[in-house]
Amino acid sequence: MNIANVFTIIGFIACVIILLVLIVAVLYFYYIDRTQKQHPILRNYPVIGRARYFFESIGPELRQYFFNSDTEGKPFSRNDYTHIVRKAKYKRDVLGYGSQRDFEEEGYYIRNSMFPKLTEELKMDRETKVTTDRYLLIKEPLFAQKKERLEKNESPVYLLDDEDAIVIGKHARNPFIVKGQIGMSAMSYGSLGERAITALSEGLGIAKGTWMNTGEGGISEYHLKGGVDIIMQIGPGLFGVRDQEGNFSWEALKEKSEIPQVKAFEIKLAQGAKTRGGHIDAEKVTEEIARIRMVEPFKSIDSPNRFREFSDFPSLFDFIEKVREHSGKPVGMKVVIGSSEEADELAKQIQLTGKAPDFITVDGGEGGTGASYQELADSVGLPIKSALPIMDNALRKYGVRDQVKMIASGKLFSPDRIAIALAMGADLVNIARGFMITVGCIQALQCQSNACPVGVATTDPDLQKALVIDEKKYRTANYLISLRKGLFRVAAAAGLDSPVHFTREHVVYKDERGKTWSLEEIYQSIVQTESS
C-alpha cells in the first residue's frame, strides 16, 4: 500500500470521527435544550435557537461597528469618539466637506463676531511649550492597517495668561491657582486600573496647568506619578480619610493635605450618573486598593447615600470650614442639581451663614460612571445644560456668585461644548470619559464587570497588559492641548482674546422654528416666571 492510500484512509477515518462527534454533540445539545425549563426558544427550537442568543450577545458590537450611523450611538457617537481619538493620536482634528450636525434640530450655537481676533491678539501664555509624541498618517489602505509614523512634536500648551489665571479658594491659606480651564473629572483607582491612572497622571503632567480629581477612592501612588496637581475627592464612604471603624479621621486628612501635589479637596454629595454613594465589586478590591481606601480586601464596597457628618446646608458649610482650616487647602463640593428650588436654597444659605465652599462642581445627569443603576443614570438629576444655568442664576440672585468658582461636567469633551458651558456660567470644566478614550477605551460598556477588554476600567493584571503607559500618556497630553487650542480658536471666532471672557451674550439658542434666543433672554424669562 503506497503512502497516498495511507493518507486517504487516515483522512477518511478522521472525517468519520469528526462527523460522529458533531452528531453526538448535536444530539446532546438537542436533549439539553429540549429538557431545560428556562428558555422557551430553546425548548421549541433546540440547537438552532442558540444562534438567537449568540447574535443577541454580539448585538452591541454589531450596532457600534456596522448599523449605527456616524451620529448615532450612545453614550458617544462614532463621530464623537473619532474626534477625541484624532486629537489624542494626531494632535489635530479637522473634517472635510461639511458638518454632519442636523441644523434643522433645536440647539445651542456660539455667536460669532464680524471682527474675530487674530492669533497674535489672543491673550495667552506663549512661553510654555512641551514636546509630545504624535502619529503622522502616511497611508490608509482599504484592506490593511494604516501606515503611520510616530514623530516628536513641539507646541505651546495654550494656557491662560498669568493675568487671567483662575484662583480657587482665595481666602484659604494655600489657594489653588490654575492656568488651564480643563481638568480630569473624578475617576478612582479601583474603578480604573493602575496603568490607566498612571498614563492619565503622566499625560496631564506633560500638558501642564491642569488637575486630576482622585474620585472617592482615595489617593494612590499612581495618581501622583505624573506630578500633576490633585483635587482629592471625599465621598460619603470617607475612603482615604477614615479610621478602622469607618469614622472621619482628621489625622488622615492632615496627612493627605501635606502631600505637595494635593491642591484642594472636594466633598462629593452626589454624581450625575448616580445620585447615591459609590460601588465597587469585590473582585476589584485588591489588597492594595483596600489599603488605600482603608477597607477590607475582596469585599464589595458601597458608600452611603450621604454623609453622616452633616444633614443640611449649615452643617455642611461648618464641615467644609473645618476641613479648610485643618488642611489649609481650598474645599469645594460636588452636586447634582434637581430643581431651581434646591439651587436657591444652597445659594440662600451661603448668603445667610456667610460661609461658602471655594468651588461647586455641577455634575450633569449625562455624566459617566463605573457602575450605577439604570433608573438613577437615566432619570435622576438634570443634564448639565439645564443644571448649570440654574445654579449660576441662584448664586447671582443672592449676590454670592463671586464667592465660589463653578466647575461643570457632563460630556463636555469638545471645545465648542466647553465654550457653551463657560458661557452658561462655569469657570472651569471637568472631563472623564474623553480622557478614558485617550488611554484606549473603546466603549465596550464593561466598566462594571472588571472585564474591560483594553485594560482601562479593570484591575485584572492580564487585561491591563494591553495598556502601554509610555504610548498612551502622550495621547492624553495631546488631547488636552488640542482642546485648549480649540477653545482659544472658538474664543477668537467670538471676538474674545481669551476663553475666560465667555458670557451669556456669546451663546444663542435656536428653536425648532428657526427663531433664536440669547441665553440672557432665556434666563430672564425663567426668572420672571419664577417670580410671578
Side-chain angles (χ1 to χ4, degrees):
M1 182 181 296
N2 60 37
I3 192 166
N5 291 335
V6 171
F7 278 116
T8 300
I9 294 171
I10 292 174
F12 176 77
I13 294 173
C15 289
V16 171
I17 293 173
I18 291 171
L19 183 62
L20 288 174
V21 169
L22 288 174
I23 292 172
V24 170
V26 168
L27 291 174
Y28 171 76
F29 285 115
Y30 183 93
Y31 173 77
I32 293 295
D33 293 347
R34 271 291 194 189
T35 57
Q36 58 83 35
K37 300 177 180 180
Q38 186 178 3
H39 303 292
I41 288 289
L42 294 183
R43 285 177 68 86
N44 282 342
Y45 306 97
V47 184
I48 295 174
R50 289 176 177 268
R52 186 259 185 196
Y53 296 102
F54 169 74
F55 286 114
E56 181 183 45
S57 68
I58 66 170
E61 288 80 8
L62 291 175
R63 286 188 291 274
Q64 182 178 7
Y65 293 112
F66 297 105
F67 300 122
N68 281 339
S69 74
D70 288 343
T71 56
E72 293 176 328
K74 301 293 182 183
F76 292 88
S77 70
R78 187 178 292 114
N79 272 353
D80 295 338
Y81 180 86
T82 301
H83 288 316
I84 294 170
V85 171
R86 283 176 180 166
K87 287 182 176 70
K89 190 174 181 181
Y90 304 111
K91 211 173 182 179
R92 65 196 300 265
D93 184 22
V94 295
L95 56 83
Y97 202 65
S99 172
Q100 293 190 42
R101 177 175 182 171
D102 186 348
F103 290 96
E104 299 301 318
E105 290 187 350
E106 55 190 22
Y108 293 94
Y109 292 84
I110 297 164
R111 178 180 288 171
N112 64 292
S113 170
M114 290 288 186
F115 303 98
K117 293 292 183 182
L118 298 172
T119 301
E120 58 267 26
E121 293 178 303
L122 294 176
K123 189 179 176 185
M124 65 181 185
D125 179 348
R126 299 180 184 277
E127 302 300 320
T128 306
K129 296 182 179 181
V130 297
T131 300
T132 63
D133 288 350
R134 73 170 183 181
Y135 286 90
L136 185 65
L137 183 61
I138 300 172
K139 193 175 182 181
E140 195 168 7
L142 185 60
F143 295 106
Q145 283 189 324
K146 297 177 182 178
K147 292 185 179 180
E148 299 171 325
R149 183 178 75 242
L150 196 62
E151 66 173 13
K152 298 289 183 184
N153 176 261
E154 183 185 64
S155 69
V157 288
Y158 299 95
L159 295 175
L160 300 173
D161 185 80
D162 287 341
E163 291 183 3
D164 292 328
I166 297 169
V167 181
I168 302 174
K170 57 185 176 182
H171 298 304
R173 293 198 301 274
N174 300 285
F176 180 24
I177 302 173
V178 294
K179 291 182 64 179
Q181 292 175 280
I182 306 165
M184 193 192 91
S185 193
M187 291 194 282
S188 300
Y189 171 52
S191 295
L192 269 58
E194 62 264 26
R195 290 200 179 194
I197 293 291
T198 299
L200 289 166
S201 175
E202 294 188 3
L204 294 170
I206 292 169
K208 303 182 184 301
T210 187
W211 64 91
M212 183 181 207
N213 191 308
T214 64
E216 62 179 306
I219 299 176
S220 70
E221 63 178 282
Y222 311 107
H223 287 105
L224 302 173
K225 279 197 172 182
V228 65
D229 290 339
I230 297 290
I231 296 178
M232 181 182 177
Q233 188 181 86
I234 301 173
L238 307 178
F239 303 129
V241 289
R242 54 188 266 162
D243 58 24
Q244 292 182 344
E245 287 72 42
N247 301 311
F248 192 90
S249 170
W250 295 99
E251 292 76 15
L253 173 70
K254 184 69 173 175
E255 178 185 326
K256 298 299 188 299
S257 69
E258 291 172 350
I259 299 173
Q261 286 173 241
V262 175
K263 302 299 183 182
F265 292 91
E266 180 181 76
I267 309 300
K268 175 189 172 183
L269 301 191
Q271 179 181 339
K274 49 183 180 186
T275 50
R276 59 179 288 276
H279 171 82
I280 183 170
D281 291 327
E283 59 267 27
K284 283 191 173 185
V285 187
T286 63
E287 291 183 357
E288 181 183 29
I289 290 170
R291 173 180 56 79
I292 293 168
R293 297 194 178 205
M294 302 177 183
V295 296
E296 291 187 54
F298 306 112
K299 287 189 176 181
S300 294
I301 306 171
D302 279 293
S303 301
N305 275 9
R306 68 169 179 83
F307 286 79
R308 296 185 174 90
E309 285 70 19
F310 48 82
S311 57
D312 54 23
F313 286 119
S315 57
L316 164 62
F317 295 158
D318 287 340
F319 182 75
I320 287 175
E321 291 249 321
K322 191 173 180 181
V323 173
R324 185 190 296 119
E325 178 60 30
H326 207 77
S327 66
K329 305 291 176 71
V331 182
M333 55 189 282
K334 183 174 185 176
V335 299
V336 176
I337 299 299
S339 67
S340 57
E341 291 80 10
E342 187 178 54
D344 273 8
E345 183 61 25
L346 194 166
K348 180 180 178 181
Q349 290 299 322
I350 292 176
Q351 183 195 58
L352 290 175
T353 63
K355 300 174 181 178
D358 294 301
F359 63 93
I360 298 175
T361 300
V362 180
D363 199 22
E366 67 271 62
T369 178
S372 184
Y373 299 102
Q374 172 272 322
E375 61 271 19
L376 294 179
D378 286 353
S379 301
V380 180
L382 293 172
I384 191 62
K385 288 177 181 175
S386 297
L388 188 56
I390 286 175
M391 190 70 254
D392 186 55
N393 266 355
L395 294 171
R396 291 173 184 268
K397 177 179 177 181
Y398 288 94
V400 295
R401 178 63 183 88
D402 62 340
Q403 295 185 36
V404 299
K405 298 299 181 185
M406 286 225 300
I407 305 176
S409 58
K411 294 185 74 174
L412 304 175
F413 57 86
S414 63
D416 54 324
R417 289 170 180 255
I418 294 169
I420 291 170
L422 296 178
M424 287 181 166
D427 299 290
L428 306 158
V429 300
N430 275 338
I431 297 173
R433 286 171 292 181
F435 283 123
M436 285 179 66
I437 291 171
T438 69
V439 294
C441 170
I442 59 170
Q443 292 194 97
L445 309 183
Q446 297 296 316
C447 303
Q448 80 287 355
S449 68
N450 203 36
C452 172
V454 290
V456 176
T458 178
T459 55
D460 186 318
D462 290 328
L463 291 173
Q464 286 194 74
K465 290 177 182 177
L467 200 160
V468 179
I469 295 170
D470 287 337
E471 196 261 354
K472 299 302 182 189
K473 67 182 182 183
Y474 289 115
R475 294 200 187 199
T476 299
N478 291 341
Y479 174 58
L480 180 53
I481 292 169
S482 298
L483 281 179
R484 291 184 193 141
K485 182 179 181 180
L487 188 56
F488 269 100
R489 186 187 301 123
V490 173
L496 304 173
D497 62 8
S498 173
V500 299
H501 300 309
F502 275 111
T503 63
R504 297 176 177 184
E505 68 182 43
H506 296 110
V507 170
V508 297
Y509 181 81
K510 182 191 77 67
D511 66 22
E512 69 279 359
R513 298 170 300 172
K515 181 175 175 56
T516 58
W517 308 80
S518 71
L519 289 186
E520 191 62 50
E521 289 175 319
I522 294 172
Y523 297 165
Q524 285 301 321
S525 66
I526 293 172
V527 171
Q528 291 169 3
T529 301
E530 291 176 348
S531 61
S532 62

Short mmCIF file of all heavy atoms in Angstrom, two decimals, residues 158-160 164 166 178-183 209-211 407 418 422 426-430 480 484 487-488 498-502:
data_model
loop_
_atom_site.label_atom_id
_atom_site.label_comp_id
_atom_site.label_asym_id
_atom_site.label_seq_id
_atom_site.Cartn_x
_atom_site.Cartn_y
_atom_site.Cartn_z
N TYR A 158 -1.09 76.21 25.33
CA TYR A 158 -2.31 77.02 25.29
C TYR A 158 -2.91 77.23 26.68
O TYR A 158 -4.10 76.98 26.91
CB TYR A 158 -3.32 76.41 24.32
CG TYR A 158 -2.78 76.35 22.91
CD1 TYR A 158 -2.17 75.20 22.42
CD2 TYR A 158 -2.84 77.47 22.09
CE1 TYR A 158 -1.63 75.16 21.13
CE2 TYR A 158 -2.31 77.44 20.80
CZ TYR A 158 -1.71 76.28 20.33
OH TYR A 158 -1.19 76.25 19.07
N LEU A 159 -2.06 77.69 27.59
CA LEU A 159 -2.51 78.05 28.92
C LEU A 159 -2.98 79.51 28.94
O LEU A 159 -2.64 80.30 28.05
CB LEU A 159 -1.38 77.87 29.93
CG LEU A 159 -0.89 76.44 30.16
CD1 LEU A 159 0.31 76.43 31.09
CD2 LEU A 159 -2.00 75.56 30.71
N LEU A 160 -3.74 79.85 29.97
CA LEU A 160 -4.18 81.22 30.13
C LEU A 160 -3.01 82.12 30.47
O LEU A 160 -2.00 81.68 31.03
CB LEU A 160 -5.22 81.31 31.26
CG LEU A 160 -6.51 80.50 31.09
CD1 LEU A 160 -7.33 80.58 32.37
CD2 LEU A 160 -7.31 80.97 29.89
N ASP A 164 -5.02 86.17 33.69
CA ASP A 164 -6.33 85.51 33.63
C ASP A 164 -6.37 84.22 34.44
O ASP A 164 -7.38 83.50 34.42
CB ASP A 164 -6.70 85.20 32.18
CG ASP A 164 -6.98 86.45 31.37
OD1 ASP A 164 -7.47 87.43 31.96
OD2 ASP A 164 -6.71 86.44 30.15
N ILE A 166 -6.98 81.49 37.11
CA ILE A 166 -8.16 81.35 37.96
C ILE A 166 -7.73 80.91 39.36
O ILE A 166 -7.02 79.92 39.52
CB ILE A 166 -9.14 80.34 37.34
CG1 ILE A 166 -9.63 80.89 35.99
CG2 ILE A 166 -10.31 80.07 38.27
CD1 ILE A 166 -10.39 79.89 35.16
N VAL A 178 -4.93 77.99 38.84
CA VAL A 178 -4.85 77.18 37.62
C VAL A 178 -4.82 78.08 36.39
O VAL A 178 -5.45 79.12 36.36
CB VAL A 178 -6.05 76.20 37.53
CG1 VAL A 178 -5.98 75.16 38.62
CG2 VAL A 178 -7.37 76.93 37.58
N LYS A 179 -4.06 77.65 35.38
CA LYS A 179 -3.94 78.41 34.14
C LYS A 179 -4.57 77.69 32.96
O LYS A 179 -4.50 78.15 31.83
CB LYS A 179 -2.47 78.70 33.85
CG LYS A 179 -1.84 79.69 34.83
CD LYS A 179 -0.39 79.98 34.46
CE LYS A 179 -0.28 80.66 33.12
NZ LYS A 179 1.13 80.98 32.76
N GLY A 180 -5.18 76.54 33.25
CA GLY A 180 -5.95 75.83 32.22
C GLY A 180 -7.36 75.62 32.74
O GLY A 180 -7.55 75.32 33.91
N GLN A 181 -8.34 75.76 31.88
CA GLN A 181 -9.74 75.67 32.32
C GLN A 181 -10.31 74.26 32.23
O GLN A 181 -11.48 74.05 32.55
CB GLN A 181 -10.61 76.62 31.48
CG GLN A 181 -10.31 78.09 31.74
CD GLN A 181 -11.09 79.00 30.81
OE1 GLN A 181 -10.71 79.19 29.65
NE2 GLN A 181 -12.17 79.57 31.30
N ILE A 182 -9.48 73.29 31.84
CA ILE A 182 -9.97 71.92 31.64
C ILE A 182 -9.17 70.98 32.52
O ILE A 182 -7.93 70.98 32.50
CB ILE A 182 -9.82 71.50 30.17
CG1 ILE A 182 -10.50 72.51 29.25
CG2 ILE A 182 -10.38 70.10 29.95
CD1 ILE A 182 -10.09 72.38 27.79
N GLY A 183 -9.87 70.16 33.30
CA GLY A 183 -9.20 69.18 34.15
C GLY A 183 -9.87 67.83 34.05
O GLY A 183 -10.90 67.66 33.39
N GLY A 209 -0.65 72.79 33.77
CA GLY A 209 -1.73 73.73 34.01
C GLY A 209 -3.09 73.12 34.25
O GLY A 209 -4.11 73.79 34.06
N THR A 210 -3.15 71.87 34.67
CA THR A 210 -4.42 71.19 34.84
C THR A 210 -4.46 70.50 36.19
O THR A 210 -3.56 70.66 37.03
CB THR A 210 -4.66 70.20 33.70
OG1 THR A 210 -5.99 69.66 33.79
CG2 THR A 210 -3.65 69.07 33.72
N TRP A 211 -5.47 69.69 36.42
CA TRP A 211 -5.61 68.97 37.68
C TRP A 211 -6.21 67.60 37.41
O TRP A 211 -6.78 67.33 36.36
CB TRP A 211 -6.51 69.75 38.65
CG TRP A 211 -7.91 69.90 38.18
CD1 TRP A 211 -8.97 69.07 38.42
CD2 TRP A 211 -8.42 70.93 37.32
NE1 TRP A 211 -10.11 69.53 37.79
CE2 TRP A 211 -9.80 70.67 37.11
CE3 TRP A 211 -7.86 72.07 36.73
CZ2 TRP A 211 -10.60 71.49 36.32
CZ3 TRP A 211 -8.66 72.88 35.95
CH2 TRP A 211 -10.01 72.59 35.75
N ILE A 407 -17.38 74.58 38.56
CA ILE A 407 -16.81 73.60 37.64
C ILE A 407 -17.97 72.78 37.06
O ILE A 407 -18.81 72.28 37.80
CB ILE A 407 -15.83 72.66 38.36
CG1 ILE A 407 -14.72 73.45 39.07
CG2 ILE A 407 -15.21 71.67 37.37
CD1 ILE A 407 -13.76 72.59 39.87
N ILE A 418 -17.38 72.98 25.60
CA ILE A 418 -16.75 73.65 26.74
C ILE A 418 -17.07 75.14 26.72
O ILE A 418 -17.40 75.74 27.74
CB ILE A 418 -15.23 73.41 26.72
CG1 ILE A 418 -14.92 71.92 26.95
CG2 ILE A 418 -14.53 74.26 27.78
CD1 ILE A 418 -13.48 71.55 26.69
N LEU A 422 -18.93 77.40 29.58
CA LEU A 422 -18.34 78.61 30.16
C LEU A 422 -19.31 79.78 30.03
O LEU A 422 -19.46 80.58 30.96
CB LEU A 422 -17.01 78.93 29.48
CG LEU A 422 -15.88 77.90 29.65
CD1 LEU A 422 -14.65 78.34 28.86
CD2 LEU A 422 -15.52 77.70 31.11
N ALA A 426 -19.99 78.48 33.94
CA ALA A 426 -18.86 77.74 34.51
C ALA A 426 -17.57 78.56 34.42
O ALA A 426 -17.38 79.34 33.48
CB ALA A 426 -18.69 76.41 33.78
N ASP A 427 -16.70 78.36 35.39
CA ASP A 427 -15.35 78.92 35.33
C ASP A 427 -14.38 77.89 34.78
O ASP A 427 -13.39 78.24 34.12
CB ASP A 427 -14.89 79.34 36.74
CG ASP A 427 -15.77 80.41 37.34
OD1 ASP A 427 -15.73 81.55 36.85
OD2 ASP A 427 -16.50 80.11 38.30
N LEU A 428 -14.67 76.62 35.06
CA LEU A 428 -13.80 75.52 34.68
C LEU A 428 -14.67 74.33 34.27
O LEU A 428 -15.87 74.30 34.57
CB LEU A 428 -12.91 75.11 35.87
CG LEU A 428 -12.08 76.21 36.53
CD1 LEU A 428 -11.70 75.81 37.95
CD2 LEU A 428 -10.84 76.51 35.71
N VAL A 429 -14.06 73.34 33.62
CA VAL A 429 -14.81 72.13 33.26
C VAL A 429 -14.00 70.89 33.61
O VAL A 429 -12.77 70.91 33.61
CB VAL A 429 -15.19 72.09 31.76
CG1 VAL A 429 -16.05 73.28 31.38
CG2 VAL A 429 -13.96 72.03 30.88
N ASN A 430 -14.72 69.83 33.89
CA ASN A 430 -14.14 68.51 34.13
C ASN A 430 -14.50 67.57 32.99
O ASN A 430 -15.61 67.64 32.46
CB ASN A 430 -14.68 67.91 35.43
CG ASN A 430 -13.90 68.36 36.66
OD1 ASN A 430 -12.75 68.78 36.56
ND2 ASN A 430 -14.53 68.27 37.82
N LEU A 480 -5.61 67.04 25.58
CA LEU A 480 -5.83 68.23 26.40
C LEU A 480 -5.29 69.48 25.71
O LEU A 480 -5.96 70.54 25.69
CB LEU A 480 -5.18 68.04 27.77
CG LEU A 480 -5.31 69.20 28.76
CD1 LEU A 480 -6.76 69.61 28.93
CD2 LEU A 480 -4.68 68.84 30.09
N ARG A 484 -7.54 72.79 24.46
CA ARG A 484 -7.26 74.19 24.82
C ARG A 484 -7.07 75.04 23.56
O ARG A 484 -7.57 76.17 23.48
CB ARG A 484 -6.01 74.25 25.69
CG ARG A 484 -6.15 73.68 27.08
CD ARG A 484 -4.84 73.94 27.80
NE ARG A 484 -4.72 73.20 29.04
CZ ARG A 484 -3.60 72.63 29.47
NH1 ARG A 484 -2.50 72.71 28.73
NH2 ARG A 484 -3.57 72.01 30.62
N LEU A 487 -10.36 75.71 22.12
CA LEU A 487 -11.12 76.66 22.93
C LEU A 487 -10.68 78.09 22.63
O LEU A 487 -11.52 79.00 22.52
CB LEU A 487 -10.93 76.33 24.41
CG LEU A 487 -11.80 77.08 25.41
CD1 LEU A 487 -13.27 76.92 25.10
CD2 LEU A 487 -11.50 76.60 26.83
N PHE A 488 -9.38 78.31 22.49
CA PHE A 488 -8.90 79.64 22.09
C PHE A 488 -9.39 79.98 20.68
O PHE A 488 -9.71 81.14 20.38
CB PHE A 488 -7.37 79.70 22.15
CG PHE A 488 -6.83 80.17 23.48
CD1 PHE A 488 -6.35 79.26 24.41
CD2 PHE A 488 -6.81 81.51 23.80
CE1 PHE A 488 -5.86 79.68 25.64
CE2 PHE A 488 -6.31 81.96 25.01
CZ PHE A 488 -5.84 81.04 25.95
N SER A 498 -9.60 85.72 25.02
CA SER A 498 -9.37 84.61 25.94
C SER A 498 -10.69 83.94 26.26
O SER A 498 -11.73 84.62 26.37
CB SER A 498 -8.72 85.11 27.24
OG SER A 498 -8.66 84.06 28.20
N PRO A 499 -10.70 82.63 26.43
CA PRO A 499 -11.95 81.94 26.77
C PRO A 499 -12.50 82.28 28.15
O PRO A 499 -13.64 81.92 28.46
CB PRO A 499 -11.59 80.45 26.66
CG PRO A 499 -10.10 80.40 26.74
CD PRO A 499 -9.60 81.68 26.17
N VAL A 500 -11.74 82.95 28.99
CA VAL A 500 -12.26 83.34 30.30
C VAL A 500 -13.35 84.39 30.17
O VAL A 500 -14.09 84.66 31.13
CB VAL A 500 -11.15 83.86 31.25
CG1 VAL A 500 -10.10 82.80 31.51
CG2 VAL A 500 -10.52 85.14 30.70
N HIS A 501 -13.48 84.99 29.01
CA HIS A 501 -14.44 86.09 28.80
C HIS A 501 -15.78 85.64 28.21
O HIS A 501 -16.62 86.46 27.89
CB HIS A 501 -13.83 87.17 27.92
CG HIS A 501 -12.58 87.78 28.49
ND1 HIS A 501 -12.51 88.27 29.77
CD2 HIS A 501 -11.34 87.96 27.95
CE1 HIS A 501 -11.29 88.73 30.00
NE2 HIS A 501 -10.56 88.56 28.92
N PHE A 502 -15.97 84.32 28.06
CA PHE A 502 -17.27 83.85 27.58
C PHE A 502 -18.35 84.21 28.59
O PHE A 502 -18.21 83.96 29.79
CB PHE A 502 -17.25 82.34 27.35
CG PHE A 502 -16.73 81.92 26.01
CD1 PHE A 502 -15.52 81.25 25.89
CD2 PHE A 502 -17.46 82.20 24.86
CE1 PHE A 502 -15.04 80.88 24.66
CE2 PHE A 502 -16.98 81.81 23.61
CZ PHE A 502 -15.76 81.16 23.51
#
